[in-house]
Amino acid sequence: MHFSIPETEVCSEENGSTYVAYNIHVNGVLHCRVRYRQLLGLHEQIKKEYGSNVVPSFPPKKIFTLTPAEVEQRREQLEKYMQAVRQHPLLGSSEMFNSFLRKAQQETQQIPTEEVTLDVWLSSGQKVTVNILTSDQTEDVLDAVATKLDLPDDLVGYFSLFLVREGVDGSLTFVRKLQEFELPYVSISSLQSSDFHIVLRKSYWDMAYDSDVMENRVGLNLLYGQTVSDIERGWILVNKEQHRQLKSLQEKGSKKEFIHLCQTLKYYGYIKFDPCITDFPEKDCQVIVSAGNNELNFHVKLPNEQMKEGSFKVTRMRCWRVTSSQVPISNGTNTPCSSAKCEVKLELAFEYLMSKDRLQWVTITSQQAIMMSICLQSMVDELMVKKSGGSIKKMLRKRHNGSIHRSDSQQAVKSPPLLDSPDPNREQVVKLSTKLNSVSLRGISASNSANDISSDDFHGNYAFEGIGDDDL
């Protein structure tokens, strides 16, 4: 997750005095507004708990009122401090840090703690409404959804909650995976748009774990609904013969066999991102990026309109980084951000082993750069756990022992309707908010897999073959 403090505000207290507030953004979106003394209090708590030698340096107090230049200097220092804490393997995942951010988020949005209902959508288009508190964190909401669906406790960690934005054509843009430092109800409410939804989706990459999920009826239905949805959205490639086989399995109600067949298809289990820009293999190329199977897949449109496809294996990435910058909203002028409305430009860059002894940086400019980074990190985490012989269940989620007061009512996971025959003229899918307990499906792409572009279509100098786990 990318933390930044791009701006400050002068706020007034009830007695008329003023103070400087620092706006903490996560992934370019305002998360909370805090005062210097609040961050100083957090710093002192962390220092007391973990020791002075672990905590990053914190900007010192000032006796006199800060000048504008000093405010800007402090803003930069606080931004670096928050980024350092978040990136620290111990501090960034601490309950002390996360609870501070949750409390600050709730106070900033001025949402009192009270009982509310929250809609969470399944990939099949089914809506699950849960009773929660506005102050419930992500894990609490996930627990509530699991309880409502009767999903066993040992399978909850295989799923996560994602914030998505729905387009007018029914397309879904994955904004981010909801994190432990935020309150889902506050996060979705603060956006003040019906285009945003919270969706339940599997949170692992290795399809070998599908077998664990499919042993349970609810888990099987969730995975089945997600797989059908991914096919209908064109995320999984299916040719006519495969489509016929899948429809036959659906008619028989053979969900496991349906999923097993889909596991053999191209892009099964991938997340597809919105079109964006890359500098590979040439500058300013349009690209569609997909994440899955321990790789980032590129479908690139070159300046000469030629299409190329190739994959970058996570095991050949030496490192990656996400950067953000403030750029003026295009209005035909060169007005700087200080005096014009700006938007956040996000870039994901990774250093890749193209061939023996040759590393090259590849950059993706996308508003989903953070989500791409999260995908890469979770892939690496899975590979490392597998390499060490550890438990994927422990990695996916550390379950808490506290009991949560929830409604005893449960909701069945409904199966999506049968796949329709491919029809390019079919109407667009309806908006997610209108689907309720059914799903309107888009026709499956009828492209033949023989016509798919292979990774060999990238220039021959680039070896996009993954290396073994031993090379991690």
Side-chain angles (χ1 to χ4, degrees), residues 29 47 76 80 87 140 147-148 187 200 202 266 269 272 279 282 288 324 340-341 370 387 396-397 422:
V29 177
K47 187 166 64 173
E76 293 177 353
K80 291 178 180 178
Q87 293 169 6
D140 298 334
T147 299
K148 191 71 176 286
S187 293
L200 181 74
K202 74 176 186 179
K266 193 171 185 179
K272 190 174 183 179
D279 63 356
E282 300 178 35
I288 294 178
S324 67
K341 289 186 176 181
I370 301 293
K387 179 180 175 66
L396 287 172
R397 186 165 184 245

Side-chain angles (χ1 to χ4, degrees), residues 46-58:
I46 293 177
K47 187 166 64 173
K48 182 178 179 181
E49 179 72 20
Y50 297 98
S52 301
N53 58 338
V54 176
V55 184
S57 60
F58 191 83

Side-chain angles (χ1 to χ4, degrees), residues 3 46 50 82-102 137 179-181 398:
F3 279 68
I46 293 177
Y50 297 98
M82 291 298 293
Q83 291 172 348
V85 172
R86 177 59 186 173
Q87 293 169 6
H88 192 281
L90 183 62
L91 306 180
S93 59
S94 67
E95 178 58 23
M96 184 179 296
F97 181 64
N98 291 328
S99 62
F100 172 85
L101 290 172
R102 291 194 295 265
Q137 61 195 63
Q179 301 293 311
E180 65 277 10
F181 58 75
K398 295 179 180 179

